[in-house]
Amino acid sequence: MATRINPSILAADFANFESELFRIRSADLVHVDIMDNHFVPNLTFGLGMVERLQQVSPLPLDIHLMIDDPERWAPGYAEAGAYSVTFHAEATTEPVALARRLRQIGARAGIALKPGTDVTAYLDLLDEFDQVLVMTVEPGFGGQSFMEETMPKLSQLRSQVEKTGLDVWLQVDGGITAQTIEIAARAGADTFVAGSSVFGAENPAAQIGLLRERAASHRHGRVT
Ligand code: DX5
Ligand code: ZN
């Protein structure tokens, strides 16, 4: 199981994205939070911004859509060349159809679950997705505290992935630090989004290395 560290540019300097991306080039993907001020009470950036990031980023883009009506908007991000496009389960009634469309365009398709959303309905649909994002804070803002009560969802997902042998990445997002990453890794996450703990560090590259090492050494199922 690979470990992936995806810094969130929500915590970067909004006036200097290109140089901020250069500071995190030892990461795996760059996490881009799209918020519409409707699905969540905050507004970030949209497709035009992502098209430009796609041109300058040394890392593939991991798009997290916190928006209503993803059927309308998500395909555009896949068409822009994003490596991964994740929409929220709570924002759609047709998650499988949308995931199929994203895959058809050539992106990895992800589904995100807010902390209060049950995972059960998705366990038997895992072959339709390339990633499940278990939100470890309420979506909308960076800098919040990790919600450990979301961990049972990861454990359920990890055992289903093991049972089926599918290549589905299990992502956590929100409050991931050098401490909380160990909890999430043990519960079964393999893909870690970190905003403030990476961009707030004096040396983001060193912090990425530390997160990677902590996650790997606390990997689910590892006997220590
Ligand atoms: C929250 C976003 C996160 C956010 C994480 O709604 O989806 O990606 O940037 O920020 P930290 O790591 O600061 O909790
Ligand atoms: Zn996010």
Side-chain angles (χ1 to χ4, degrees):
M1 193 197 330
T3 296
R4 290 167 214 93
I5 306 294
N6 300 1
S8 165
I9 54 165
L10 189 62
D13 175 357
F14 276 31
N16 292 292
F17 279 125
E18 192 170 6
S19 55
E20 292 286 75
L21 290 173
F22 188 73
R23 294 209 300 157
I24 56 153
R25 65 194 183 284
S26 60
D28 295 276
L29 293 95
V30 53
H31 185 82
V32 183
D33 288 307
I34 309 294
M35 306 188 190
D36 65 353
N37 220 1
H38 208 261
F39 180 76
V40 288
N42 196 6
L43 184 65
T44 55
F45 19 77
L47 185 56
M49 171 80 177
V50 166
E51 284 169 343
R52 185 71 186 117
L53 287 175
Q54 179 70 29
Q55 291 171 345
V56 302
S57 177
L59 299 174
L61 304 187
D62 173 38
I63 306 292
H64 177 193
L65 297 174
M66 285 161 276
I67 61 170
D68 279 334
D69 204 2
E71 283 79 7
R72 178 170 176 195
W73 303 108
Y77 290 88
E79 277 154 15
Y83 187 79
S84 173
V85 178
T86 297
F87 56 87
H88 266 269
E90 306 82 6
T92 177
T93 52
E94 304 283 349
V96 169
L98 181 53
R100 285 182 183 171
R101 209 165 144 213
L102 294 172
R103 282 176 159 181
Q104 205 177 17
I105 299 168
R108 288 177 64 93
I111 185 153
L113 308 175
K114 296 206 304 191
T117 302
D118 195 68
V119 71
T120 319
Y122 303 97
L123 293 174
D124 287 332
L125 297 176
L126 280 191
D127 58 326
E128 299 285 353
F129 301 100
D130 300 294
Q131 167 166 287
V132 181
L133 165 51
V134 173
M135 287 302 298
T136 43
V137 298
E138 286 299 338
F141 299 92
Q144 304 182 75
S145 301
F146 179 77
M147 296 168 69
E148 194 166 347
E149 60 269 37
T150 59
M151 293 298 100
K153 287 197 271 192
L154 271 172
S155 313
Q156 279 178 275
L157 285 161
R158 176 53 62 200
S159 35
Q160 189 71 3
V161 167
E162 277 171 6
K163 206 164 86 188
T164 56
L166 291 164
D167 178 28
V168 182
W169 298 358
L170 301 182
Q171 185 175 64
V172 283
D173 180 10
I176 297 297
T177 64
Q179 286 73 44
T180 59
I181 199 167
E182 297 182 354
I183 303 169
R186 244 183 269 124
D190 57 15
T191 305
F192 305 86
V193 176
S196 23
S197 78
V198 168
F199 284 101
E202 210 163 300
N203 182 341
Q207 181 69 7
I208 289 164
L210 176 66
L211 291 170
R212 197 188 289 292
E213 184 211 298
R214 292 272 173 94
S217 61
H218 291 266
R219 214 167 47 207
H220 175 81
R222 189 188 157 108
V223 183
T224 43

